[in-house]
Amino acid sequence: KQKTAYEITYGDWSSDVCSSDLNDVTGSITVNIGEVYYELGNYEKALTYLTKSIEAYQKQGLENIPYSYITIGKVYTSNKNFDKAIENLNQALDISKSLNSKLDIARALLALGDAYQAKGDIERSIAFYLEGIETAKSIQANIELKSLYQGISNAYKQGKNLNGAYKYQKLLLDIKDTLYNNESDKKLANLMFNYEIDKKESKISLLDRKSTR
């Protein structure tokens, strides 16, 4: 059987790493490969690598495990295996709460909202989105907040609650503006920083030329 490009690039090497003591590195590699396969729609291989990432991370502690469980939950949601999705996402949520990792809590709640919405349970979906929104707001996790606003707006629309859909669509547009402005500020700051560096380098170069005359 011919290997895929991803197996040629990562497969043998990641297997070697898995047998080593570098569990954190192994977890990071395998979760990234799992995400790639998920995005490609190869759910079977995605689950294989994401499960490997959990096995590796468990040897280091719990800190990185929620992300793997959340991604597994997304895979099962995409595959319409909602019971397995919810099972893994609840596991991610429980671990995140035990670690008091609010970012992971917000991400797990978002993924649970998405899973219940895809399942057609709009009431539970909205409940998880609302809890996720409060958590994301508390840590100013605007990227997650954007996805939560999008999710809950869609859920209200699916449930024929147009007022709710409009309310969160407006909040979604506001948070998109905030994210855009923040990104623009960062780009401007980088440009100014590079300009100052170039200016100082030009001065140094000029002084060097004068000193050699």
Side-chain angles (χ1 to χ4, degrees):
K1 182 184 174 182
Q2 189 175 8
K3 288 187 176 183
T4 67
Y6 290 98
E7 288 171 313
I8 291 167
T9 307
Y10 299 113
D12 294 335
W13 181 51
S14 63
S15 296
D16 291 339
V17 177
C18 284
S19 64
S20 76
D21 293 328
L22 302 176
N23 296 308
D24 194 46
V25 174
T26 304
S28 297
I29 291 169
T30 49
V31 77
N32 287 333
I33 297 171
E35 282 191 297
V36 170
Y37 277 118
Y38 165 54
E39 287 166 9
L40 289 171
N42 190 332
Y43 300 140
E44 185 178 348
K45 281 191 178 278
L47 290 171
T48 297
Y49 279 101
L50 290 166
T51 301
K52 283 183 181 180
S53 74
I54 291 173
E55 291 168 358
Y57 283 143
Q58 280 174 335
K59 296 170 185 174
Q60 297 291 104
L62 296 174
E63 288 80 6
N64 295 311
I65 290 177
Y67 189 81
S68 295
Y69 274 121
I70 290 166
T71 311
I72 287 173
K74 290 178 180 179
V75 172
Y76 279 124
T77 297
S78 296
N79 209 17
K80 301 191 186 307
N81 189 338
F82 300 120
D83 290 341
K84 291 291 288 183
I86 290 162
E87 177 188 332
N88 280 276
L89 292 171
N90 276 324
Q91 200 153 358
L93 184 59
D94 289 342
I95 294 170
S96 301
K97 285 181 175 179
S98 74
L99 296 168
N100 196 30
S101 174
K102 294 203 171 185
L103 181 58
D104 285 324
I105 292 170
R107 287 171 173 171
L109 291 166
L110 166 62
L112 278 162
D114 290 342
Y116 276 109
Q117 183 178 169
K119 189 181 180 182
D121 190 338
I122 301 304
E123 188 175 342
R124 280 193 182 182
S125 172
I126 289 170
F128 280 113
Y129 285 137
L130 288 171
E131 189 178 349
I133 287 166
E134 291 309 309
T135 304
K137 277 183 178 178
S138 72
I139 55 170
Q140 296 182 321
N142 287 340
I143 292 173
E144 284 69 26
L145 203 51
K146 177 173 79 74
S147 298
L148 285 156
Y149 286 151
Q150 180 72 72
I152 196 169
S153 178
N154 289 341
Y156 274 124
K157 185 177 178 182
Q158 194 174 334
K160 311 296 183 189
N161 184 333
L162 297 184
N163 287 334
Y166 174 77
K167 172 185 174 181
Y168 286 100
Q169 189 65 30
K170 187 173 183 304
L171 288 169
L172 173 62
L173 293 174
D174 290 343
I175 201 74
K176 280 183 176 179
D177 286 343
T178 299
L179 288 167
Y180 175 80
N181 291 334
N182 288 345
E183 188 61 29
S184 297
D185 289 345
K186 283 181 188 176
K187 287 180 180 176
L188 181 59
N190 284 334
L191 284 171
M192 292 300 295
F193 176 77
N194 291 331
Y195 171 73
E196 292 298 328
I197 293 292
D198 289 342
K199 198 163 70 170
K200 285 178 182 177
E201 286 178 348
S202 296
K203 278 186 178 179
I204 291 168
S205 178
L206 182 61
L207 290 170
D208 284 344
R209 286 201 299 272
K210 284 184 178 178
S211 65
T212 57
R213 286 177 183 175

